[in-house]
Amino acid sequence: MTGGSSKGKTTSFWDENPCGGNWESTKQMLAWRHQTEPFLLETVTESIVKGKKVLEVGCGQGLESALARMRGAKEVIGVDISKESIALAKKRIIDLKLAKLKFFVGD
């Protein structure tokens, strides 16, 4: 791990262990996520996000952000401290062919 500060250690940990793990495909990750966190589909509902702008802080690989967009959010922004998780999130939106989704590294 690099960085001696708590923030540096946290960032390094999440860069080395992207939230949700490393999967060969978005489809595999979504299947795993549905099995491990079945409540996810119930928490990001169309009635909550449709037509709204959504900000997800600590978005990891952006699955909840993608789900919000698929369920009608007008625009979605995801922010995470891990540059590796954000890189994977950007890959996922290409795999899912989603627009109006943006991801940024930040804290």
Side-chain angles (χ1 to χ4, degrees):
M1 278 187 199
T2 60
S5 69
S6 293
K7 178 183 170 187
K9 289 177 183 177
T10 300
T11 302
S12 293
F13 174 82
W14 288 115
D15 281 344
E16 293 169 15
N17 305 283
C19 185
N22 287 308
W23 296 93
E24 290 183 29
S25 73
T26 299
K27 187 176 179 178
Q28 287 177 332
M29 184 178 185
L30 289 171
W32 168 81
R33 191 72 178 268
H34 181 67
Q35 290 174 348
T36 59
E37 297 177 338
F39 59 87
L40 174 64
L41 296 175
E42 299 169 10
T43 58
V44 182
T45 64
E46 186 176 316
S47 64
I48 293 173
V49 300
K50 188 171 183 176
K52 297 180 182 170
K53 293 182 179 181
V54 175
L55 171 64
E56 183 182 10
V57 177
C59 68
Q61 294 187 38
L63 289 180
E64 287 84 358
S65 294
L67 184 59
R69 184 67 187 108
M70 288 187 280
R71 295 214 166 146
K74 182 178 178 179
E75 182 179 356
V76 180
I77 296 173
V79 180
D80 199 276
I81 196 169
S82 167
K83 67 182 184 307
E84 295 301 322
S85 290
I86 292 298
L88 289 167
K90 289 178 178 180
K91 179 183 181 298
R92 304 280 176 234
I93 63 170
I94 291 168
D95 291 349
L96 295 169
K97 297 179 174 83
L98 292 172
K100 297 189 179 181
L101 249 146
K102 297 176 186 171
F103 293 103
F104 300 96
V105 175
D107 64 353

